[in-house]
Amino acid sequence: MPRERFSFGGSTSFGDVQRTLGSFGRQGGYGGFWSNYAVGREKSNLYNRAHALLRELQEATPEKSGETKAAWEVNSPGQYTLFEVRNDLPKIHWLEFGVPTHDIYPTRASHLRFFWEKVGKWVSLDMVEHPGMRPLGFVRSVARGFLNAEPKSIRQAISVVIFDDIRIV
């Protein structure tokens, strides 16, 4: 099934179309309605593709509670043709890039108290040696796989951002 793709004069990119149609409007010449129509149609297509990427990232996100899956969102921070699919939870960084081994100490209490599933009971400890976690890399693989299948105009207009403004693609 062929993908619907915005076309204006053959293989012209959307950026060229936007610049051309935008210049007509700025010069006060022809193009007001048609430039808005063409730009609006392409923006709608980009919005739909950004949401399709959002759904793929949500499906690939490993999570027990669903909090990380629900934190994915689509923003339009800059020019109206640019969309960001982002997740600002710190947890997403740990899932994507992993965590090295480290010690955890109590900060607000004298002991760490938690339910330890491996032992099957509540424990109270002075310190915990966290074994770390291997990187999953699912955000990079899903985003690259999705965007590489898209036309260049869409690849350039959609980016994936995770915690602390780390741009993945």
Side-chain angles (χ1 to χ4, degrees), residues 14-161:
F14 176 69
D16 295 336
V17 172
Q18 186 181 12
R19 282 188 290 280
T20 303
L21 293 176
S23 67
F24 286 140
R26 282 192 295 276
Q27 295 170 358
Y30 184 75
F33 169 77
W34 290 109
S35 65
N36 290 340
Y37 173 77
V39 169
R41 184 172 158 197
E42 182 64 16
K43 181 180 176 186
S44 175
N45 185 32
L46 289 172
Y47 179 82
N48 291 339
R49 298 313 301 152
H51 275 276
L53 175 57
L54 170 89
R55 286 188 297 276
E56 285 195 23
L57 286 166
Q58 285 176 329
E59 289 174 11
T61 303
E63 180 64 32
K64 293 179 183 175
S65 68
E67 176 189 25
T68 308
K69 285 184 181 193
W72 285 106
E73 61 185 10
V74 175
N75 291 334
S76 182
Q79 291 290 337
Y80 57 90
T81 58
L82 177 68
F83 289 97
E84 284 182 348
V85 180
R86 66 183 304 130
N87 189 325
D88 288 324
L89 291 180
K91 189 185 309 186
I92 196 72
H93 184 272
W94 305 331
L95 290 170
E96 181 67 10
F97 298 108
V99 178
T101 59
H102 59 283
D103 296 335
I104 301 174
Y105 295 94
T107 55
R108 293 184 222 128
S110 60
H111 289 80
L112 295 167
R113 181 163 167 72
F114 58 95
F115 185 81
W116 193 352
E117 290 182 19
K118 188 175 181 179
V119 176
K121 63 179 182 176
W122 285 89
V123 295
S124 180
L125 303 170
D126 295 332
M127 181 266 291
V128 174
E129 295 176 3
H130 191 282
M133 187 178 97
R134 66 178 174 79
L136 300 178
F138 71 95
V139 175
R140 289 171 285 181
S141 66
V142 168
R144 287 181 183 139
F146 182 89
L147 292 173
N148 285 339
E150 296 294 328
K152 185 177 179 183
S153 61
I154 291 179
R155 281 196 310 268
Q156 291 176 339
I158 298 174
S159 62
V160 177
V161 179

